[in-house]
Structure formats: C-alpha cells, structure tokens
Amino acid sequence: YESPYECILKKELILEIKDIMDSLSEKERKIVSLAFGLDGNKPLKQWEIASILNYNQSYISRLLRKTLDKIKRKILIRNGYYSLQKKI
C-alpha cells in the first residue's frame, strides 16, 4: 500500500525522468534505456548494447558516461544545487 504522499512523489519522479529523457538525443535515450532496462527488458551490459547498435564498446562507454553526467547536471540544476554557469 502506498500513501497518497508516496503516490504523488512517485508520479512527480516519473514525470521528471520522462522530461529529462525527452531532452536527450535519440541515441542517448536508446543507450540509457538499454543500459538500465527502461524499455521493460533486463538491463544490458555495454558490450551487448554495442553489439545491438553496431558501435564500438568504447564508444558506448564514453557516450553512456557523458549522458549520465548530462542527466546528473540537469537534476542538480533543477534542484538548485548548481547554477547554469558551474560545470560539474
């Protein structure tokens, strides 16, 4: 059982994640979705993603790291922890 408060928090979190995912490029969204199982499937390893998308594993690793940094920065900025001028 979820309290009304927990239900609202969950909905807000889902909306925030959706908004952030929508701000990513198609390629970034695909890699993050595959890496974390956001598409409803099991999370994949980087070499599996590289194989599916026909990219080098090193490229997937770099892009995933860059994308996660971008997501982290957006979350911190939204929550007032960093100004737009600061770089993480």
Side-chain angles (χ1 to χ4, degrees), residues 25-79:
S25 72
E26 178 86 23
K27 189 186 310 180
E28 291 169 332
R29 268 195 311 275
K30 183 73 171 169
I31 290 171
V32 170
S33 291
L34 292 171
F36 293 98
L38 301 179
D39 55 359
N41 296 313
K42 71 176 181 80
L44 299 178
K45 299 191 180 329
Q46 290 178 8
W47 67 266
E48 294 171 308
I49 297 168
S51 177
I52 290 170
L53 300 179
N54 200 27
Y55 289 119
N56 177 306
Q57 181 179 346
S58 175
Y59 175 73
I60 295 297
S61 178
R62 283 192 311 272
L63 188 57
L64 184 58
R65 186 173 38 255
K66 181 182 134 208
T67 304
L68 292 177
D69 284 345
K70 183 191 263 187
I71 290 169
K72 178 180 167 185
R73 193 168 35 256
K74 286 179 183 290
I75 290 170
L76 291 173
I77 289 169
R78 281 179 185 209
N79 291 303

Side-chain angles (χ1 to χ4, degrees), residues 3-21:
S3 72
Y5 178 73
E6 290 170 324
C7 189
I8 289 170
L9 283 179
K10 189 184 224 181
K11 286 180 182 179
E12 286 179 4
L13 180 60
I14 289 169
L15 288 174
E16 185 170 354
I17 291 170
K18 183 184 177 332
D19 188 44
I20 289 172
M21 290 296 286

